[in-house]
Amino acid sequence: MATSLLTPDEKNAVKVDARAGKYLVFHLGEEEFAIQVQKVREIMGVQDITQVPQTPPYVKGVINLRGKVIPVIDLRLKFTMPAKEYTHRTCIIVVQISGERGTQLMGVVVDGVAEVVQVAGADVEDTPSFGKEVEIPYVMGLAKLKGKVKILLDIDQVMTARELARLDLTAK
């Protein structure tokens, strides 16, 4: 049986360091979120999205990205925020997500993209506990930058395995 030679403080330092790196910051309403740049494949303006019947409201449909059909979700709706009319600042961030079925591309609709920032491990705090009733496994932590808090998303966890399986079926 293997045992860890790291103290609890050292384990926490390793966890924080894993969250350090470059992040793409985007807006949903007044809130700022960020995803690791290495997960981002491209950023594009909103284009025609083909709706797919019998999908949840946050699934906007699919788009044709250079011959490949990819699902598109609206993060506002996924996070149960009020719907908002798309504007010239609204965009689709194409991300590569990893799941049980390997990697796949997915588009996420956001209100606007702000910047790319470097996040140091010391700037990241763990997500506070909101009790057992509220689980948010897709939040990796909270980064304190320039006097504001940015919510660091684990884009691989935003969609559950069952949701991804459903999207996988719609994208074929």
Side-chain angles (χ1 to χ4, degrees):
M1 182 164 84
T3 58
S4 175
L5 300 176
L6 299 176
T7 66
D9 287 339
E10 290 170 327
K11 286 180 184 175
N12 193 40
V14 169
K15 180 180 177 184
V16 170
D17 288 345
R19 297 179 291 186
K22 285 189 176 181
Y23 285 82
L24 174 68
V25 178
F26 61 89
H27 300 278
L28 292 176
E30 298 298 314
E31 304 304 323
E32 290 187 320
F33 294 83
I35 54 177
Q36 294 171 315
V37 166
Q38 67 203 36
K39 293 287 190 176
V40 177
R41 292 298 160 253
E42 70 181 85
I43 302 166
M44 61 178 57
V46 175
Q47 55 183 268
D48 288 336
I49 300 172
T50 304
Q51 293 183 335
V52 178
Q54 299 183 334
T55 56
Y58 60 84
V59 176
K60 299 312 289 179
V62 295
I63 60 171
N64 182 344
L65 182 66
R66 289 183 293 286
K68 185 168 179 66
V69 176
I70 65 167
V72 176
I73 66 165
D74 188 318
L75 274 189
R76 277 182 152 278
L77 301 179
K78 175 63 177 162
F79 293 163
T80 64
M81 298 170 89
K84 181 180 172 189
E85 191 79 26
Y86 292 169
T87 69
H88 69 282
R89 298 211 12 97
T90 306
C91 56
I92 299 173
I93 302 172
V94 178
V95 294
Q96 184 171 338
I97 56 173
S98 301
E100 292 177 3
R101 297 175 177 219
T103 61
Q104 77 178 68
L105 294 177
M106 179 173 69
V108 291
V109 178
V110 300
D111 293 348
V113 173
E115 62 186 331
V116 173
V117 295
Q118 180 69 39
V119 176
D123 295 330
V124 180
E125 288 193 17
D126 289 337
T127 308
S129 174
F130 296 104
K132 289 183 179 181
E133 298 296 315
V134 179
E135 288 190 39
I136 44 176
Y138 50 83
V139 176
M140 295 191 315
L142 306 171
K144 300 169 294 189
L145 300 169
K146 301 176 188 174
K148 292 183 120 183
V149 174
K150 295 172 185 358
I151 301 168
L152 304 181
L153 294 179
D154 180 349
I155 200 67
D156 293 335
Q157 297 296 316
V158 168
M159 301 292 285
T160 66
R162 189 166 71 201
E163 290 169 325
L164 283 174
R166 180 187 281 169
L167 289 183
D168 197 34
L169 293 174
T170 63
K172 288 190 174 168

